[in-house]
Coordinates of all heavy atoms in Angstrom, one line a residue:
E1 N 11.8 -25.0 -15.8 CA 13.0 -24.3 -15.9 C 13.3 -23.4 -14.7 O 14.5 -23.0 -14.4 CB 13.1 -23.5 -17.2 CG 13.0 -24.4 -18.4 CD 14.2 -25.3 -18.6 OE1 15.3 -25.0 -18.3 OE2 13.9 -26.5 -19.1
K2 N 12.3 -22.9 -14.1 CA 12.3 -22.0 -12.9 C 13.0 -20.6 -13.2 O 13.5 -20.0 -12.4 CB 13.1 -22.6 -11.7 CG 12.4 -23.8 -11.2 CD 13.1 -24.3 -9.9 CE 12.3 -25.5 -9.4 NZ 12.9 -26.0 -8.2
N3 N 13.0 -20.2 -14.5 CA 13.7 -19.0 -14.8 C 12.8 -18.0 -15.6 O 13.2 -16.9 -16.0 CB 15.0 -19.2 -15.6 CG 14.7 -19.9 -16.9 OD1 13.6 -20.1 -17.3 ND2 15.8 -20.3 -17.5
N4 N 11.5 -18.3 -15.8 CA 10.6 -17.4 -16.6 C 9.3 -17.2 -15.8 O 8.3 -17.5 -16.2 CB 10.3 -18.1 -17.9 CG 9.7 -17.1 -18.9 OD1 9.7 -15.8 -18.7 ND2 9.0 -17.6 -19.9
N5 N 9.5 -16.7 -14.6 CA 8.4 -16.6 -13.6 C 8.0 -15.1 -13.5 O 8.8 -14.2 -13.9 CB 8.8 -17.1 -12.2 CG 9.4 -18.4 -12.3 OD1 8.7 -19.4 -12.5 ND2 10.7 -18.5 -12.2
K6 N 6.8 -14.9 -13.1 CA 6.2 -13.5 -13.0 C 5.2 -13.5 -11.9 O 4.4 -14.4 -11.7 CB 5.6 -13.1 -14.4 CG 5.1 -11.7 -14.4 CD 4.7 -11.3 -15.8 CE 4.3 -9.9 -15.9 NZ 5.3 -8.9 -15.5
A7 N 5.1 -12.3 -11.2 CA 4.1 -12.1 -10.3 C 3.7 -10.6 -10.3 O 4.6 -9.7 -10.5 CB 4.6 -12.4 -8.9
I8 N 2.4 -10.3 -10.2 CA 1.9 -9.0 -10.1 C 0.9 -8.9 -9.0 O 0.0 -9.7 -9.0 CB 1.3 -8.5 -11.5 CG1 2.3 -8.5 -12.6 CG2 0.7 -7.1 -11.3 CD1 1.8 -8.1 -13.9
F9 N 1.0 -7.9 -8.1 CA 0.1 -7.7 -7.1 C -0.2 -6.2 -7.0 O 0.6 -5.3 -7.3 CB 0.6 -8.1 -5.7 CG 0.9 -9.6 -5.6 CD1 2.1 -10.1 -5.9 CD2 -0.2 -10.5 -5.4 CE1 2.3 -11.5 -5.8 CE2 0.0 -11.8 -5.3 CZ 1.3 -12.4 -5.6
S10 N -1.5 -5.9 -6.7 CA -1.9 -4.5 -6.5 C -2.8 -4.3 -5.3 O -3.5 -5.2 -4.9 CB -2.6 -4.0 -7.8 OG -3.8 -4.6 -8.0
V11 N -2.8 -3.1 -4.8 CA -3.7 -2.7 -3.7 C -4.5 -1.5 -4.2 O -4.0 -0.6 -4.9 CB -3.0 -2.5 -2.4 CG1 -2.4 -3.7 -1.9 CG2 -2.0 -1.3 -2.5
E12 N -5.8 -1.4 -3.7 CA -6.6 -0.2 -3.9 C -6.2 0.8 -2.8 O -6.4 0.5 -1.6 CB -8.1 -0.5 -3.8 CG -8.6 -1.3 -5.0 CD -8.8 -0.6 -6.2 OE1 -8.9 0.7 -6.2 OE2 -8.8 -1.2 -7.3
I13 N -5.7 2.0 -3.2 CA -5.2 2.9 -2.2 C -6.3 3.4 -1.3 O -6.1 3.6 -0.1 CB -4.5 4.1 -2.9 CG1 -3.3 3.6 -3.7 CG2 -4.2 5.2 -1.9 CD1 -2.2 3.1 -2.8
N14 N -7.5 3.7 -1.8 CA -8.5 4.3 -1.0 C -9.3 3.3 -0.1 O -10.1 3.8 0.7 CB -9.5 5.1 -1.9 CG -10.3 4.2 -2.8 OD1 -10.0 3.0 -2.9 ND2 -11.2 4.7 -3.6
D15 N -9.0 2.0 -0.2 CA -9.6 1.1 0.7 C -8.6 0.6 1.8 O -8.1 -0.5 1.7 CB -10.1 -0.1 -0.1 CG -11.0 -1.0 0.7 OD1 -11.4 -0.7 1.8 OD2 -11.3 -2.1 0.2
I16 N -8.4 1.5 2.7 CA -7.5 1.2 3.8 C -8.2 1.4 5.2 O -9.1 2.2 5.3 CB -6.2 2.1 3.8 CG1 -6.6 3.6 3.9 CG2 -5.4 1.9 2.5 CD1 -5.4 4.5 4.2
D17 N -7.6 0.7 6.2 CA -7.9 1.0 7.6 C -6.6 1.4 8.2 O -5.6 0.9 7.8 CB -8.4 -0.3 8.3 CG -9.8 -0.8 7.8 OD1 -10.6 0.1 7.4 OD2 -10.0 -2.0 7.7
M18 N -6.7 2.4 9.1 CA -5.5 2.9 9.8 C -5.8 3.3 11.2 O -7.0 3.6 11.5 CB -4.9 4.0 9.0 CG -5.8 5.2 8.7 SD -5.0 6.4 7.6 CE -3.8 7.1 8.7
N19 N -4.7 3.4 12.0 CA -4.9 3.7 13.4 C -5.2 5.3 13.6 O -5.9 5.6 14.5 CB -3.8 3.3 14.3 CG -2.4 3.9 13.8 OD1 -2.3 4.3 12.7 ND2 -1.4 3.9 14.7
Y20 N -4.7 6.1 12.7 CA -5.0 7.6 12.8 C -6.1 7.9 11.9 O -6.0 8.5 10.9 CB -3.8 8.4 12.4 CG -2.6 8.4 13.4 CD1 -1.5 7.5 13.4 CD2 -2.7 9.4 14.4 CE1 -0.5 7.6 14.3 CE2 -1.7 9.4 15.4 CZ -0.6 8.5 15.3 OH 0.4 8.6 16.3
I21 N -7.3 7.4 12.2 CA -8.5 7.5 11.3 C -8.8 8.9 11.0 O -9.3 9.2 9.8 CB -9.7 6.7 11.9 CG1 -10.7 6.4 10.8 CG2 -10.3 7.4 13.1 CD1 -10.3 5.5 9.7
K22 N -8.6 9.9 11.8 CA -8.9 11.2 11.6 C -8.0 11.9 10.5 O -8.4 12.9 9.9 CB -8.9 12.1 12.8 CG -7.5 12.3 13.4 CD -7.7 13.2 14.7 CE -6.3 13.3 15.4 NZ -6.4 14.1 16.6
Y23 N -6.9 11.2 10.1 CA -6.0 11.7 9.1 C -6.2 10.9 7.8 O -5.4 11.0 6.9 CB -4.6 11.6 9.5 CG -4.3 12.6 10.7 CD1 -3.9 12.1 11.9 CD2 -4.3 13.9 10.5 CE1 -3.7 12.9 13.0 CE2 -4.1 14.8 11.6 CZ -3.7 14.3 12.8 OH -3.5 15.2 13.8
K24 N -7.2 10.0 7.7 CA -7.4 9.2 6.5 C -7.6 10.1 5.3 O -7.0 9.8 4.2 CB -8.5 8.2 6.7 CG -8.7 7.3 5.6 CD -9.8 6.3 5.8 CE -10.0 5.4 4.6 NZ -11.1 4.4 4.8
D25 N -8.4 11.1 5.4 CA -8.6 11.9 4.2 C -7.4 12.6 3.7 O -7.1 12.8 2.5 CB -9.7 13.0 4.5 CG -11.1 12.3 4.5 OD1 -11.3 11.2 4.0 OD2 -12.0 13.0 5.1

């Protein structure tokens, strides 16, 4: 039917890499 679809995605906030590493905390 293509009308009863669902998607859920999540990310762990504390598991990141970033370019301003000194500001990660």
Side-chain angles (χ1 to χ4, degrees):
E1 300 295 324
K2 297 186 178 180
N3 62 9
N4 191 19
N5 308 286
K6 183 172 184 59
I8 298 177
F9 295 96
S10 67
V11 295
E12 292 283 342
I13 296 295
N14 63 356
D15 191 9
I16 62 168
D17 292 326
M18 58 185 288
N19 59 339
Y20 285 97
I21 196 67
K22 66 181 179 179
Y23 294 114
K24 183 176 177 179
D25 288 341

